[in-house]
Amino acid sequence: MAHAAVIAAVAGHLPPRVVTNHELAEQYDTTDEWIRTRTGIARRHHVDPGMATSDLAAEAGRHALEHSGEDGADLVVVATTTPDRPCPATAPTVAAKLGLVGVPAYDVSAVCTGFLYALHSAAGAVRTGFARRALVIGAEAFSTLLDPADRTTGVIFGDGAGAVLLRAGDAGEPGALESFDLGSDGTMADLITVRSGGSEEHALRGRTTGGTDTDPYFRMDGKPVFMAAVRHMTHSARRVLHETGWSIEDVDHLVGHQANTRILRAVAEKLGLPPQRALINIARVGNTAAASIPLALAHGQADGRLRKGDRVLLSAFGGGATWGATTLTWPDLPVL
């Protein structure tokens, strides 16, 4: 049979600090009910001072390696919107923290679709024989980008990391990644953005330091993002189901990017999928951007919702704009 990239382990890591709706209600002059109704979120985790994205990513990666019984990987790919620094990439730092100095490591930046883009890239490396084992991590310290005066984003996002270890295997075996669908539309770049810190800012303002018009915070235009997310996640999911040869009735679980509960339910409804088949963990972790899908997989494995043989559909939408989907049959993984 043809070589394939197979999920050998999944793991997640959350920073210890829990931030409840009640805490944010005081900060943003709102209520727990308002936050829950709009987002479905009850709590989220934030990094403590001195904790970086690479710390979260390394912990998730370490747990994935431990669960797999492997002592290393041939490739490390980190999907993140919140790298430790603009330069260099965060993945080499993560690899070094895992004792994988010398292993190729790079970042993928596709915001909330980042994990699926990274998964596709790493799966290609495994299928072509470049790597026998590839560690794919989605990690975010999104709280570091949030405007303390912006209620619309401040109550949504949380920090965390999730990781999967891919191994070389056979197409058709449980855990083998099947079809992928990926896309983008740069005309929607301003819907989800951080305007400062890149070459565009310097090109527009000249090579200066300081200035009063710099905006270092994450910004999102909620209503058009909602509509675009539902549309593209649904269309991408349908395309990948067609390529895989599955009908919607074949899908046991939809694991979508955990943007908010309303988006996830709307996507399930448009696909014709019963709402109970949408695996949702956003209530306890918030929107963790590139970390959301691997964290949902880790939690689904830990609580027993994901079982060997289940047919799983992954779908996401993120800044760029970017979107994507893939399918797999859930493997027999170690109990977390």
Side-chain angles (χ1 to χ4, degrees):
M1 299 180 72
H3 283 296
V6 180
I7 291 182
V10 60
H13 176 73
L14 296 167
R17 183 186 169 203
V18 177
V19 180
T20 66
N21 286 352
H22 295 290
E23 180 178 339
L24 294 182
E26 296 180 7
Q27 177 179 344
Y28 292 111
D29 189 25
T30 186
T31 64
D32 170 66
E33 181 183 7
W34 185 89
I35 298 171
R36 287 177 186 264
T37 301
R38 291 180 62 87
T39 68
I41 300 169
R43 65 179 190 176
R44 73 287 293 146
H45 293 248
H46 285 180
V47 293
D48 289 318
M51 187 178 294
T53 294
S54 63
D55 297 316
L56 303 177
E59 283 301 307
R62 184 174 292 110
H63 294 324
L65 291 172
E66 290 172 352
H67 294 324
S68 73
E70 301 286 353
D71 58 1
D74 308 306
L75 173 68
V76 177
V77 185
V78 174
T80 186
T81 321
T82 59
D84 287 6
R85 308 175 188 177
C87 174
T90 298
T93 301
V94 174
K97 289 182 177 182
L98 293 171
L100 301 176
V101 173
V103 168
Y106 57 89
D107 289 2
V108 170
S109 178
V111 197
C112 301
T113 320
F115 178 75
L116 291 184
Y117 270 62
L119 199 63
H120 179 267
S121 175
V126 172
R127 285 195 299 266
T128 60
F130 179 78
R132 292 181 302 109
R133 294 170 298 185
L135 189 59
V136 185
I137 306 170
E140 302 284 14
F142 230 88
S143 63
T144 62
L145 293 180
L146 301 179
D147 183 347
D150 183 2
R151 179 177 66 174
T152 59
T153 59
V155 302
I156 295 174
F157 289 91
D159 304 335
V164 300
L165 182 70
L166 300 180
R167 62 167 175 83
D170 294 323
E173 71 171 289
L177 297 170
E178 301 195 41
S179 301
F180 275 87
D181 178 80
L182 300 174
S184 73
D185 182 355
T187 65
M188 292 192 285
D190 286 342
L191 295 185
I192 300 172
T193 189
V194 178
R195 296 303 299 261
S196 294
S199 63
E200 179 188 63
E201 178 187 15
H202 292 288
L204 293 174
R205 297 176 54 236
R207 295 183 177 275
T208 63
T209 58
T212 59
D213 57 346
T214 297
D215 184 0
Y217 296 119
F218 175 84
R219 303 296 180 189
M220 182 172 66
D221 194 349
K223 186 174 182 179
V225 166
F226 181 96
M227 294 186 293
V230 173
R231 181 173 69 255
H232 285 293
M233 288 175 68
T234 302
H235 290 172
S236 191
R238 286 174 176 159
R239 285 191 292 268
V240 84
L241 287 174
H242 176 75
E243 290 295 322
T244 305
W246 291 0
S247 68
I248 194 62
E249 289 78 16
D250 294 323
V251 176
D252 295 299
H253 300 286
L254 166 66
V255 185
H257 161 55
Q258 307 287 305
N260 69 49
T261 303
R262 292 185 300 147
I263 287 177
L264 293 167
R265 289 176 176 167
V267 171
E269 180 180 357
K270 285 188 174 294
L271 289 172
L273 195 68
Q276 63 269 23
R277 294 191 192 178
L279 197 156
I280 300 175
N281 72 334
I282 192 172
R284 55 175 167 161
V285 298
N287 181 341
T288 55
S292 73
I293 286 181
L295 270 173
L297 294 176
H299 290 160
Q301 169 69 13
D303 64 22
R305 286 193 62 186
L306 291 174
R307 296 171 294 183
K308 180 182 178 182
D310 286 349
R311 291 187 170 187
V312 181
L313 167 65
L314 312 181
S315 186
F317 176 86
T322 57
W323 57 83
T326 190
T327 52
L328 74 149
T329 299
W330 196 249
D332 186 14
L333 297 181
V335 177
L336 305 183

Coordinates of all heavy atoms in Angstrom, one line a residue, residues 204-247:
L204 N 4.8 52.1 5.1 CA 3.9 53.2 5.2 C 4.4 54.4 6.0 O 4.1 55.6 5.7 CB 2.5 52.8 5.7 CG 1.8 51.8 4.8 CD1 0.5 51.3 5.6 CD2 1.4 52.4 3.5
R205 N 5.2 54.1 7.0 CA 5.6 55.2 8.0 C 7.0 55.5 7.9 O 7.5 56.4 8.6 CB 5.2 54.7 9.4 CG 3.8 54.5 9.7 CD 3.5 54.0 11.1 NE 4.1 54.8 12.1 CZ 5.0 54.4 13.0 NH1 5.3 53.1 13.0 NH2 5.5 55.2 13.9
G206 N 7.8 54.8 7.0 CA 9.2 55.1 7.0 C 9.9 54.3 8.1 O 9.3 53.7 9.0
R207 N 11.2 54.3 8.0 CA 12.0 53.6 9.0 C 12.2 54.4 10.3 O 13.2 55.0 10.5 CB 13.4 53.2 8.5 CG 13.2 52.2 7.3 CD 14.6 51.8 6.8 NE 14.5 50.8 5.7 CZ 14.3 49.5 5.9 NH1 14.3 49.0 7.2 NH2 14.2 48.7 4.9
T208 N 11.1 54.5 11.1 CA 11.1 55.3 12.3 C 10.8 54.4 13.5 O 10.3 53.3 13.3 CB 10.1 56.4 12.2 OG1 8.8 55.9 12.1 CG2 10.4 57.3 11.0
T209 N 11.0 54.9 14.7 CA 10.6 54.2 15.9 C 9.6 55.1 16.6 O 9.6 56.3 16.5 CB 11.8 54.0 16.8 OG1 12.4 55.2 17.1 CG2 12.9 53.1 16.2
G210 N 8.7 54.4 17.3 CA 7.7 55.2 18.0 C 6.6 55.6 17.0 O 6.4 55.1 15.9
G211 N 5.8 56.6 17.5 CA 4.7 57.1 16.6 C 3.4 56.8 17.3 O 3.2 55.8 18.0
T212 N 2.4 57.7 17.1 CA 1.2 57.5 17.8 C 0.1 56.7 17.1 O -0.9 56.4 17.7 CB 0.6 58.9 18.1 OG1 0.4 59.6 16.8 CG2 1.5 59.8 18.9
D213 N 0.4 56.4 15.8 CA -0.6 55.6 15.1 C -0.4 54.1 15.0 O -1.1 53.4 14.3 CB -0.7 56.2 13.6 CG 0.7 56.1 12.9 OD1 1.7 55.9 13.6 OD2 0.7 56.2 11.7
T214 N 0.6 53.6 15.8 CA 0.9 52.2 15.8 C -0.2 51.5 16.6 O -0.6 51.9 17.7 CB 2.2 52.0 16.5 OG1 3.2 52.6 15.7 CG2 2.5 50.5 16.6
D215 N -0.7 50.4 16.1 CA -1.7 49.6 16.7 C -1.2 48.2 16.9 O -1.2 47.4 16.0 CB -3.0 49.6 15.9 CG -4.1 48.8 16.7 OD1 -3.9 48.3 17.8 OD2 -5.3 48.7 16.1
P216 N -0.7 47.8 18.1 CA -0.1 46.5 18.3 C -1.1 45.4 18.6 O -0.7 44.2 18.8 CB 0.8 46.8 19.5 CG 0.1 47.8 20.3 CD -0.6 48.7 19.3
Y217 N -2.4 45.7 18.7 CA -3.4 44.8 19.2 C -4.1 44.0 18.0 O -4.2 44.5 16.9 CB -4.4 45.5 20.0 CG -3.9 46.1 21.3 CD1 -3.9 47.5 21.5 CD2 -3.2 45.3 22.2 CE1 -3.4 48.0 22.7 CE2 -2.7 45.9 23.4 CZ -2.8 47.2 23.6 OH -2.3 47.8 24.8
F218 N -4.6 42.8 18.4 CA -5.4 42.0 17.5 C -6.7 42.7 17.3 O -7.4 43.1 18.2 CB -5.6 40.6 18.1 CG -6.5 39.7 17.3 CD1 -6.0 39.0 16.3 CD2 -7.8 39.6 17.7 CE1 -6.8 38.2 15.5 CE2 -8.7 38.8 17.0 CZ -8.2 38.1 15.9
R219 N -7.2 42.7 16.0 CA -8.4 43.3 15.6 C -9.2 42.3 14.8 O -8.7 41.6 13.9 CB -8.3 44.6 14.9 CG -7.5 45.7 15.6 CD -8.1 46.2 16.9 NE -7.3 47.2 17.5 CZ -7.5 47.6 18.8 NH1 -8.6 47.1 19.5 NH2 -6.8 48.5 19.3
M220 N -10.5 42.3 15.0 CA -11.4 41.4 14.2 C -12.7 42.0 14.0 O -13.3 42.6 14.9 CB -11.6 40.1 15.0 CG -12.4 39.0 14.3 SD -12.4 37.4 15.1 CE -13.3 37.9 16.7
D221 N -13.2 41.9 12.8 CA -14.5 42.5 12.4 C -15.5 41.3 12.5 O -15.6 40.5 11.5 CB -14.5 43.1 11.0 CG -15.7 43.9 10.7 OD1 -16.6 43.9 11.4 OD2 -15.6 44.6 9.6
G222 N -16.2 41.2 13.6 CA -16.9 40.0 14.0 C -18.0 39.5 13.0 O -18.0 38.3 12.6
K223 N -18.9 40.4 12.5 CA -20.0 40.0 11.7 C -19.5 39.4 10.4 O -20.0 38.2 10.0 CB -21.0 41.1 11.5 CG -22.3 40.6 10.8 CD -23.3 41.8 10.7 CE -24.6 41.3 10.0 NZ -25.6 42.4 9.9
P224 N -18.7 40.1 9.6 CA -18.3 39.4 8.3 C -17.4 38.2 8.6 O -17.4 37.3 7.7 CB -17.5 40.6 7.6 CG -17.2 41.6 8.7 CD -18.3 41.5 9.7
V225 N -16.6 38.2 9.7 CA -15.9 37.0 10.0 C -16.8 35.8 10.2 O -16.5 34.7 9.7 CB -14.9 37.2 11.2 CG1 -14.4 35.9 11.7 CG2 -13.8 38.2 10.8
F226 N -17.9 36.0 11.0 CA -18.8 35.0 11.2 C -19.4 34.4 9.9 O -19.4 33.2 9.7 CB -20.0 35.5 12.1 CG -21.0 34.5 12.4 CD1 -21.0 33.8 13.6 CD2 -22.0 34.2 11.5 CE1 -21.9 32.8 14.0 CE2 -23.0 33.2 11.9 CZ -22.9 32.6 13.1
M227 N -19.8 35.3 9.0 CA -20.4 34.8 7.8 C -19.4 34.1 6.9 O -19.7 33.0 6.3 CB -21.0 36.0 7.0 CG -22.2 36.6 7.8 SD -23.1 37.9 6.8 CE -21.8 39.2 6.8
A228 N -18.2 34.6 6.8 CA -17.1 34.0 6.0 C -16.7 32.7 6.6 O -16.4 31.7 5.8 CB -15.9 35.0 5.9
A229 N -16.6 32.6 7.9 CA -16.2 31.3 8.5 C -17.2 30.2 8.3 O -16.8 29.1 7.9 CB -16.0 31.6 10.0
V230 N -18.4 30.5 8.4 CA -19.5 29.5 8.2 C -19.4 29.1 6.7 O -19.5 27.8 6.4 CB -20.9 30.0 8.6 CG1 -21.9 29.0 8.2 CG2 -20.9 30.3 10.1
R231 N -19.3 30.0 5.8 CA -19.4 29.7 4.4 C -18.2 28.8 4.0 O -18.3 27.8 3.4 CB -19.4 31.0 3.6 CG -19.4 30.7 2.1 CD -19.6 32.0 1.3 NE -18.5 32.9 1.4 CZ -18.4 34.0 2.1 NH1 -19.4 34.4 2.9 NH2 -17.3 34.8 2.1
H232 N -17.0 29.3 4.4 CA -15.8 28.6 3.9 C -15.5 27.3 4.6 O -15.1 26.3 4.0 CB -14.6 29.5 4.0 CG -14.5 30.6 2.9 ND1 -14.4 30.3 1.6 CD2 -14.7 31.9 3.0 CE1 -14.4 31.4 0.9 NE2 -14.6 32.4 1.8
M233 N -15.8 27.2 5.9 CA -15.7 25.9 6.6 C -16.6 24.9 6.0 O -16.3 23.7 5.9 CB -15.9 26.1 8.1 CG -14.8 26.8 8.8 SD -15.2 27.2 10.6 CE -15.1 25.5 11.3
T234 N -17.8 25.3 5.7 CA -18.8 24.4 5.2 C -18.4 23.9 3.8 O -18.4 22.7 3.5 CB -20.2 25.1 5.1 OG1 -20.6 25.5 6.4 CG2 -21.2 24.1 4.5
H235 N -18.0 24.9 2.9 CA -17.6 24.5 1.5 C -16.4 23.6 1.5 O -16.3 22.7 0.8 CB -17.4 25.8 0.7 CG -18.7 26.5 0.4 ND1 -18.7 27.8 -0.2 CD2 -20.0 26.2 0.6 CE1 -19.9 28.2 -0.3 NE2 -20.7 27.3 0.2
S236 N -15.4 24.0 2.4 CA -14.2 23.2 2.4 C -14.5 21.8 2.9 O -13.9 20.8 2.4 CB -13.2 23.9 3.3 OG -11.9 23.3 3.2
A237 N -15.3 21.7 3.9 CA -15.7 20.4 4.4 C -16.4 19.5 3.4 O -16.1 18.3 3.2 CB -16.6 20.5 5.6
R238 N -17.3 20.1 2.6 CA -18.0 19.4 1.5 C -17.0 18.9 0.5 O -17.1 17.8 0.0 CB -19.0 20.3 0.9 CG -20.3 20.4 1.8 CD -21.2 21.4 1.2 NE -22.5 21.5 2.0 CZ -23.3 22.5 1.9 NH1 -23.0 23.6 1.2 NH2 -24.4 22.6 2.7
R239 N -16.0 19.8 0.1 CA -15.1 19.4 -0.9 C -14.2 18.2 -0.5 O -13.9 17.3 -1.2 CB -14.2 20.6 -1.3 CG -14.9 21.6 -2.1 CD -13.9 22.6 -2.7 NE -13.3 23.5 -1.7 CZ -13.8 24.7 -1.3 NH1 -14.9 25.1 -1.9 NH2 -13.3 25.4 -0.4
V240 N -13.8 18.3 0.8 CA -12.9 17.2 1.3 C -13.7 15.9 1.5 O -13.1 14.8 1.3 CB -12.1 17.6 2.5 CG1 -13.0 17.4 3.8 CG2 -10.8 16.9 2.7
L241 N -14.9 16.0 1.9 CA -15.7 14.8 2.0 C -15.9 14.1 0.6 O -15.8 12.9 0.4 CB -17.1 15.1 2.5 CG -17.2 15.4 4.0 CD1 -18.6 15.9 4.4 CD2 -16.7 14.2 4.9
H242 N -16.1 15.0 -0.4 CA -16.2 14.4 -1.8 C -14.9 13.7 -2.2 O -15.0 12.6 -2.8 CB -16.6 15.6 -2.8 CG -16.6 15.1 -4.2 ND1 -17.7 14.4 -4.7 CD2 -15.7 15.3 -5.2 CE1 -17.4 14.2 -6.0 NE2 -16.3 14.7 -6.3
E243 N -13.8 14.4 -1.9 CA -12.5 13.8 -2.3 C -12.3 12.5 -1.6 O -11.7 11.5 -2.1 CB -11.4 14.8 -2.0 CG -11.4 15.9 -3.0 CD -11.1 15.6 -4.4 OE1 -10.3 14.6 -4.6 OE2 -11.7 16.1 -5.3
T244 N -12.7 12.4 -0.3 CA -12.5 11.2 0.5 C -13.5 10.1 0.1 O -13.2 8.9 0.3 CB -12.7 11.5 2.0 OG1 -11.8 12.6 2.3 CG2 -12.3 10.3 2.9
G245 N -14.6 10.5 -0.4 CA -15.6 9.5 -0.8 C -16.6 9.2 0.4 O -17.2 8.2 0.4
W246 N -16.7 10.2 1.3 CA -17.6 10.0 2.4 C -18.9 10.9 2.2 O -18.8 11.9 1.6 CB -17.0 10.5 3.7 CG -15.9 9.7 4.3 CD1 -15.3 8.6 3.8 CD2 -15.1 10.0 5.5 NE1 -14.3 8.2 4.6 CE2 -14.1 9.0 5.6 CE3 -15.2 11.0 6.4 CZ2 -13.2 9.0 6.7 CZ3 -14.3 11.0 7.5 CH2 -13.3 10.0 7.6
S247 N -20.0 10.4 2.7 CA -21.2 11.2 2.8 C -21.2 11.8 4.2 O -20.5 11.4 5.1 CB -22.4 10.3 2.6 OG -22.6 9.4 3.7

